[in-house]
Structure formats: C-alpha cells, structure tokens
Amino acid sequence: MTAWLCILNRTNFEVVKKAHIWGVSERHKNQLAKSKIGDMCVFYIFPDRNIGERTSSIVGIFEIVSDLYFDNSELFGPHRDPEERFPYRIRIKPIKIYRPELPFADLVPLLKFITNKPNYGSHLLGKAMRQIPDEDLDLIIKRGS
C-alpha cells in the first residue's frame, strides 16, 4: 500500500466527499496512474484566499477502490482553467473525515516528506498529488484520532 497526499481546494473536496471520486488534470494523470487499489489518499486543502482562508489543513483519508478511468463529465469546479474537468479519475471510499480539520502547519515539523520545513509549500506547489512515507500517514492518523 502507498500513501498519497492529494492537493485540492475546499470546493472540490466537497465533491470528493459527496461523489467518492478523486480526479486530476491531463498534466497530472501519470502521477495518478501510479496509484493502486488499496492505496490511501490523504486530502490536503490549500488556503483559498477568495473565501478568506489563510491556513491549509488535512481534511480526510480515503482508500482507493478502482483503477484509473477517464470521464470528462462536469463534476469538479475549476481551479485555474475554467474549462478543466479533472477527467482522470479514481473511485475512493472514506476512511476518516477530520472534524475539526488538522492544521497542516502543526504537522510540518513532524512530516518526513517535507525536508525544507520553513518553506514547506515548495513541496506541494504545482502538484495534484505526491507520495508520502508510511510514517507520515501513521502520524496523520494518530493526530486525527
């Protein structure tokens, strides 16, 4: 099993929660193609300054339950490109939804995959998802219990 940090905005996380689907754009399809059934997705919400958010957080953990498929139907809201549909998708099932959410800044000093702690955003910039070590998944699970 592999753990993935999936990076998205709050609006699209609401879609993920409701539809149990995670999707990425064309440029991120190869990364999503590396995922397998049984892998875990940790969802990271970046701050949406348009709605006044200033902090990022971990909002949930899901398990992958399907292989990658293509579906260009409108499901997700746009991120930067209003025409983007995030058509490369997988089905997922919820394991844990965090209420309250886990502030990401509190986890940064302890996460192994973040090597440049003061500038941790550089580890996430321009990515839809990235693999994280099992120790980081365990830490997130433990913090959210």
Side-chain angles (χ1 to χ4, degrees), residues 6-145:
C6 300
I7 303 159
L8 72 171
N9 63 27
R10 183 167 302 282
T11 300
N12 284 335
F13 183 65
E14 292 304 316
V15 173
V16 165
K17 282 193 317 187
K18 189 181 295 185
H20 298 172
I21 293 172
W22 166 237
V24 300
S25 65
E26 170 81 28
R27 77 182 185 117
H28 297 294
K29 75 176 179 181
N30 291 337
Q31 192 66 37
L32 184 58
K34 294 176 185 176
S35 68
K36 305 281 184 249
I37 293 172
D39 285 358
M40 304 302 273
C41 293
V42 176
F43 283 91
Y44 164 92
I45 299 280
F46 56 81
D48 185 345
R49 305 234 188 301
N50 294 329
I51 61 171
E53 285 183 328
R54 298 191 183 278
T55 59
S56 54
S57 53
I58 299 293
V59 292
I61 299 176
F62 289 68
E63 181 181 349
I64 297 174
V65 296
S66 80
D67 290 321
L68 176 69
Y69 65 95
F70 181 87
D71 180 351
N72 203 29
S73 63
E74 191 169 336
L75 179 64
F76 296 97
H79 176 52
R80 289 184 181 94
D81 176 359
E83 300 299 315
E84 184 61 72
R85 302 254 189 245
F86 305 105
Y88 297 93
R89 300 176 182 177
I90 54 173
R91 295 195 185 285
I92 54 178
K93 73 175 183 181
I95 302 299
K96 173 86 174 170
I97 303 295
Y98 290 110
R99 291 185 189 100
E101 297 172 359
L102 303 178
F104 195 71
D106 294 351
L107 298 169
V108 167
L110 307 169
L111 293 170
K112 299 232 185 273
F113 87 94
I114 297 185
T115 54
N116 182 354
K117 308 289 187 195
N119 190 21
Y120 69 84
S122 64
H123 294 276
L124 309 173
L125 192 63
K127 295 181 173 53
M129 58 192 296
R130 78 166 283 162
Q131 188 174 345
I132 62 172
D134 292 341
E135 300 95 331
D136 287 351
L137 174 64
D138 293 342
L139 171 75
I140 291 165
I141 290 170
K142 186 185 229 180
R143 284 293 176 108
S145 298

